[in-house]
Structures are given as C-alpha cells and as structure tokens.
Amino acid sequence: MKECLEALKKLKRFILKYKFQSETEEIEFFKYIKPHFLSKVIYFNKVYNIEMKRPSGGEQIVGKYLRDELKKLKRYFNNNSDFYAYYRAQNTFMDYKYFVRGKLDMHLSIDTFVFESDPKFTTSHDFKVARIIANDMLEVYLKEELDRLKRTEPDEHKIFAPKVKLNWTDSKASLIELIYALYYKGSFNNGQADIKEIAKYFEVVFNTDLGDVYRSYLEIKNRNARTKFLSGLQNLLNDKMNESDA
C-alpha cells in the first residue's frame, strides 16, 4: 500500500506540472495510465480490509463471508452496468466527458468523492475505471481464497482417464476460454461442477497444465477479442457445413 500510494503521489506531482499537448493525450492518461496506478491502491486496500474483518470459524462461516464480498463486487457491477459496457466495449464517444478535467456532468453517474478530489488530478470517471480493474483482481483473489478454503480439487488419480491419449496442442488460453463457456452454460453435473473441478478434469484427460485458470480468465476478459477461440470455432464449423452442403 505504501509503495502504491507513493507511486501515485509521484504521478500526481508530475501531472500537476505537465501540460497535455492535446485533449487526446489527456484522455489517454486519465483512461489508461492513472487507473493502472490507482487500481493497485484500491485493490490492496480492499484486500487489507477483507483480511482484517475475516471472521474466525470453519468453512461455512468464512465461506459465507468471502461469498458476501463477491456479492459486493456484483452489486457494484449492477449499479454501474452502463459504464462497464462502455468501457469493456472500448467505446470512445463519451471520453471527452468521462476523462477530461473540468467536465463534470451532473446527469452522469458520478462517485461522490469526485467532488472532494483535486480537480487538477481527477476526472468524473477515472476512478470507475480503476475500480473495474481492482474488482477484476479482487474477484480472482476471493475465488482463490474460497478454493483454498474448500479444498475441493479432485485427486487426479481418481479421474477417469481414457485408454486413448489426446494431448491438447492448441493454446492454454483457448482451452480456458472453452472451459469457462461450458462452466457458465452449466454443461457438467447440472451446472453444479466447480470451475476448478472442470479445469482439473481437462488437465488430466488432455495431458496439459492450465496453471492459474482465474488469472488466465482475467487476461481473456481484458483482451480486445474476448471469445477469439470460440468465435473461430463457430466460423470454422459453419464453413465446413456449408462446404458439405455444396
């Protein structure tokens, strides 16, 4: 926290002396650069508070506490869904209002603290971007804590392994994209299968190491083409079906 705050202070000192060469440069700073620093401050502060308030007790008590923290992230998303959609889609048509100083529009959803912040180092929505980034990291953190608590990873020796060995030779990200699609579809055990269980099963059956699936999923969420593998599969299959019809 101290290192992150010091870095943010240095950044602020620099910007207060710097004159942006254009509105585009100012937008780039408040949309991409400042939130990168601010999100770390938000994240570590949230983790600190979560751990300080973590109750003592067994899996049921602590698990409920961690799941309640995940619900808070969901509520923030619901309350800011329009801006989430704008930011995730990499839209730019409102950037001149969201990420330029001195353009507070009272009709937009603005966090109260913005009115008390230094107007020379704050726009109406740079904090929201930082919060989105921090919440993504918090989601990973909380899910990892729940996994550590539950210890539900199946023993790989108990997983059925077919006689014919198939090795996954596409990218790790592609398989994780597929796994998450099946997980959200509820394709295993009537939707009751845990993402870690599904990932471990795929690792054993396809002889691959997926590493930290949560962090990989976060990277997939933040890339331009989120469903690159699945979209490519759909196009490929459609093309093959069209060829067979000809």
Side-chain angles (χ1 to χ4, degrees):
M1 274 293 297
K2 288 180 179 179
E3 290 182 6
C4 291
L5 283 169
E6 183 58 32
L8 191 63
K9 288 177 183 177
K10 288 181 179 179
L11 189 67
K12 180 178 179 179
R13 287 197 295 269
F14 172 79
I15 288 301
L16 293 182
K17 296 177 181 178
Y18 180 76
K19 181 176 176 58
F20 290 110
Q21 302 303 304
S22 65
E23 186 177 271
T24 299
E25 187 180 45
E26 184 173 357
I27 288 170
E28 181 180 4
F29 175 79
F30 285 105
K31 188 175 184 178
Y32 299 109
I33 298 174
K34 181 189 172 184
H36 174 76
F37 288 82
L38 183 56
S39 65
K40 301 299 188 299
V41 175
I42 297 170
Y43 170 72
F44 286 115
N45 184 53
K46 289 284 186 182
V47 169
Y48 177 79
N49 287 324
I50 288 170
E51 290 304 327
M52 288 297 291
K53 296 175 183 177
R54 183 193 283 241
S56 57
E59 177 187 334
Q60 187 173 358
I61 294 174
V62 180
K64 181 182 183 302
Y65 171 74
L66 295 174
R67 286 188 291 272
D68 285 344
E69 291 297 322
L70 280 171
K71 289 177 182 177
K72 291 179 183 178
L73 301 184
K74 179 64 174 175
R75 282 198 295 272
Y76 187 83
F77 168 81
N78 290 338
N79 292 335
N80 296 276
S81 57
D82 288 343
F83 183 72
Y84 261 85
Y86 176 88
Y87 177 72
R88 294 294 194 197
Q90 298 187 328
N91 289 323
T92 59
F93 60 89
M94 288 289 288
D95 283 1
Y96 73 99
K97 283 193 174 184
Y98 290 153
F99 304 110
V100 175
R101 293 167 296 180
K103 293 196 174 182
L104 295 182
D105 187 337
M106 302 302 295
H107 295 93
L108 301 175
S109 176
I110 301 175
D111 294 306
T112 305
F113 92 96
V114 170
F115 300 105
E116 302 174 357
S117 301
D118 187 341
K120 295 180 180 178
F121 193 60
T122 306
T123 67
S124 66
H125 283 66
D126 63 72
F127 179 83
K128 284 190 185 293
V129 173
R131 184 71 185 271
I132 288 173
I133 298 170
N135 282 0
D136 282 344
M137 293 189 290
L138 274 172
E139 182 181 358
V140 170
Y141 171 79
L142 291 167
K143 286 182 176 179
E144 286 179 342
E145 288 301 302
L146 280 168
D147 277 340
R148 190 175 291 112
L149 183 68
K150 293 189 296 182
R151 303 290 184 186
T152 56
E153 287 193 37
D155 185 346
E156 67 179 37
H157 299 295
K158 296 180 181 179
I159 294 177
F160 168 74
K163 293 181 180 179
V164 178
K165 277 289 183 182
L166 294 177
N167 296 324
W168 182 264
T169 54
D170 214 314
S171 71
K172 178 178 75 172
S174 296
L175 184 54
I176 291 174
E177 189 181 325
L178 175 62
I179 288 171
Y180 264 92
L182 294 171
Y183 166 67
Y184 285 125
K185 178 64 171 61
S187 298
F188 300 104
N189 298 345
N190 296 314
Q192 299 303 306
D194 181 274
I195 189 67
K196 281 278 191 177
E197 292 175 333
I198 300 171
K200 177 59 69 176
Y201 190 93
F202 274 74
E203 283 183 326
V204 173
V205 173
F206 295 121
N207 192 30
T208 188
D209 180 9
L210 293 175
D212 191 332
V213 292
Y214 290 139
R215 296 195 182 277
S216 296
Y217 178 62
L218 177 57
E219 292 173 3
I220 291 171
K221 281 177 66 177
N222 289 327
R223 69 190 186 189
N224 291 336
R226 285 179 158 188
T227 58
K228 179 170 59 176
F229 179 69
L230 293 175
S231 298
L233 282 182
Q234 182 182 13
N235 292 334
L236 177 63
L237 184 56
N238 278 326
D239 289 343
K240 292 300 181 182
M241 287 180 173
N242 292 334
E243 288 177 13
S244 65
D245 290 337

